[in-house]
Amino acid sequence: MQTLEAIHRRVLNRTCRVHGSACGMRNRQGKVSRQSRLKYYREASTTSASSSPPSHVVVLGAGISGLTSAFYLQRRYPDTKITVLEEQKRIGGWIKTNTVDLGSEYGRVVLETGPRTLRAVSHELLELVNLLQLQSQLVLTPKSSPAATKLNSIQPSGDGFLVRLQTGETVSASHLISALPLHTLGELIPPNQSLPHLNFNPSSTVQVINFVFACSRADLHPEGFGYLKPRPANGYDGPDRGILGTVFDSCALSDQDTAGSKPITKVTVMCGGPYSHSTSSLSVDRILDELFIHLGKKRMEPIHVEVHEQRDCIPTPLVGHLERMDHLRRILREEPWNGRLQVIGAGVNGAGIADCVQAARAGAFGV
């Protein structure tokens, strides 16, 4: 996709009725299949005629999960007030796209600091792309290719919730959808009403380094998506510099860029994760040395470097995670939550974009 932030912009800017247009997955001829339309309408009408729509739904977090939930809530309940709370100054969560102007020689290059591609294996993800009319912005890679509102607390209150902000303001909600990291949600809930398992799984911090080199792809690396580094034989406490893997962005994502008069090649290196040393102690110079050892090439100096630390960005589900999440859902159906709090996000059903979209859609339909 040209930029995953396009999804976030469309989610915020578009207003749709639930049955305003045919929706679903398109087949190879670009037509919406009848089966997918029926599936969507059937799920969109699961609420009984006697039940009333929620009066005010508050979504916690404006990453891909939170914004997708807000989008589907808006479609299903066009008259319901929907509030999205986000403590950062930007939306998108871990998805962030930077466009860098390198001048007439090297053109403009698009650098991703988080997720960068979508796998078309999720019906929910394909449905969202179609509903947001993003088909024309897709950059397709064929299978044959080698290539800021800070929260203070959440308090169940009568038939809803009272969300307190650090500014002293309060937001009343009839329903809540939390797309926050599980441990963050746990910090907001009063100790006498705590939910189980929110702090069970650890998370990994990853340093993402974008490199742009003034050379052709063939001069730097073979064709392909990139590579993952195997677990070191001496474990993650050894002397390795901490590279987890490298993405050859110019193979899969070169169509994002505006070419200059000279070729460029961009790669993204991920470091940290299970390695014992802190990502803040990693040296870009040492990472470059290790990168070119992996590539079997003489070291080149990049013309542009960006370093981003993604703190606690990858949840690590431990054995029994699915059973723990089922138990959490059962608790949320009981007092004092009464099915009014939906918990979604990367730490619940999976960290992939498709996982987050699928869970966000289900969360919206579960309200």
Side-chain angles (χ1 to χ4, degrees):
M1 181 167 291
Q2 190 165 3
T3 166
L4 288 178
E5 286 194 334
I7 290 183
H8 298 97
R9 290 195 295 270
R10 290 291 181 89
V11 166
L12 289 183
N13 293 335
R14 287 204 57 192
T15 302
C16 308
R17 293 183 295 110
V18 174
H19 302 297
S21 59
C23 55
M25 291 67 70
R26 295 176 183 268
N27 59 24
R28 291 184 179 178
Q29 289 73 42
K31 298 179 180 179
V32 180
S33 69
R34 179 175 180 272
Q35 181 180 7
S36 63
R37 287 200 305 268
L38 291 176
K39 178 178 183 291
Y40 178 84
Y41 290 133
R42 185 166 56 249
E43 294 188 25
S45 59
T46 54
T47 301
S48 64
S50 60
S51 64
S52 58
S55 58
H56 183 193
V57 182
V58 172
V59 179
L60 307 179
I64 184 67
S65 298
L67 292 179
T68 301
S69 283
F71 173 75
Y72 279 109
L73 284 167
Q74 183 187 46
R75 289 178 60 83
R76 190 176 189 193
Y77 302 116
D79 297 323
T80 292
K81 181 179 179 181
I82 300 168
T83 302
V84 178
L85 299 179
E86 170 58 55
E87 70 174 3
Q88 303 298 323
K89 295 181 179 179
R90 54 172 290 277
I91 63 170
W94 299 118
I95 298 173
K96 185 178 180 181
T97 303
N98 294 328
T99 301
V100 180
D101 191 342
L102 299 176
S104 58
E105 277 191 324
Y106 301 112
R108 298 176 71 220
V109 60
V110 175
L111 302 177
E112 304 285 356
T113 69
R116 64 207 60 223
T117 58
L118 304 173
R119 296 184 63 208
V121 296
S122 163
H123 289 177
E124 291 79 7
L125 179 57
L126 294 175
E127 178 187 71
L128 182 63
V129 168
N130 280 279
L131 291 175
L132 297 175
Q133 299 179 3
L134 290 171
Q135 300 93 321
S136 63
Q137 297 191 39
L138 294 177
V139 176
L140 302 179
T141 303
K143 290 184 177 180
S144 58
S145 173
T149 302
K150 291 186 179 294
L151 303 175
N152 188 55
S153 66
I154 299 170
Q155 178 70 52
S157 175
D159 292 332
F161 299 90
L162 198 62
V163 181
R164 299 184 187 277
L165 311 181
Q166 289 189 355
T167 59
E169 301 174 82
T170 59
V171 180
S172 298
S174 62
H175 295 73
L176 275 181
I177 295 181
S178 173
L180 302 172
L182 294 182
H183 65 88
T184 302
L185 175 62
E187 294 169 357
L188 298 173
I189 296 174
N192 62 333
Q193 295 172 324
S194 61
L195 290 169
H197 314 309
L198 298 184
N199 294 298
F200 193 92
N201 292 329
S203 296
S204 294
T205 295
V206 175
Q207 190 177 63
V208 178
I209 309 177
N210 302 116
F211 292 111
V212 182
F213 296 93
C215 65
S216 66
R217 298 200 306 250
D219 291 332
L220 185 64
H221 60 67
E223 293 294 294
F225 184 82
Y227 65 88
L228 293 175
K229 181 180 173 183
R231 177 186 174 93
N234 56 355
Y236 290 109
D237 295 325
D240 297 76
R241 293 175 176 86
I243 289 183
L244 299 171
T246 301
V247 179
F248 300 156
D249 293 314
S250 289
C251 280
L253 303 172
S254 59
D255 290 344
Q256 294 177 318
D257 304 327
T258 302
S261 60
K262 295 183 179 180
I264 63 167
T265 297
K266 58 183 181 180
V267 301
T268 300
V269 176
M270 276 77 69
C271 310
Y275 284 94
S276 57
H277 46 262
S278 168
T279 56
S280 60
S281 67
L282 294 175
S283 161
V284 172
D285 189 63
R286 292 182 63 197
I287 293 298
L288 270 172
D289 284 342
E290 184 174 0
L291 172 64
F292 279 91
I293 291 174
H294 293 175
L295 297 175
K297 300 280 187 178
K298 183 179 178 180
R299 174 168 163 165
M300 300 183 222
E301 296 304 313
I303 59 174
H304 184 79
V305 179
E306 289 191 8
V307 180
H308 305 270
E309 185 177 69
Q310 311 287 34
R311 181 156 295 280
D312 295 327
C313 65
I314 303 179
T316 306
L318 302 180
V319 174
H321 174 72
L322 296 179
E323 290 77 9
R324 289 190 294 274
M325 291 301 98
D326 285 341
H327 180 229
L328 174 62
R329 295 184 187 97
R330 291 197 299 272
I331 296 296
L332 290 173
R333 291 194 290 267
E334 301 171 356
E335 293 280 353
W337 312 101
N338 297 317
R340 293 175 177 268
L341 170 61
Q342 299 282 329
V343 179
I344 61 173
V348 180
N349 292 101
I353 295 295
D355 299 319
C356 292
V357 168
Q358 182 178 12
R361 182 179 184 275
F365 285 125
V367 169

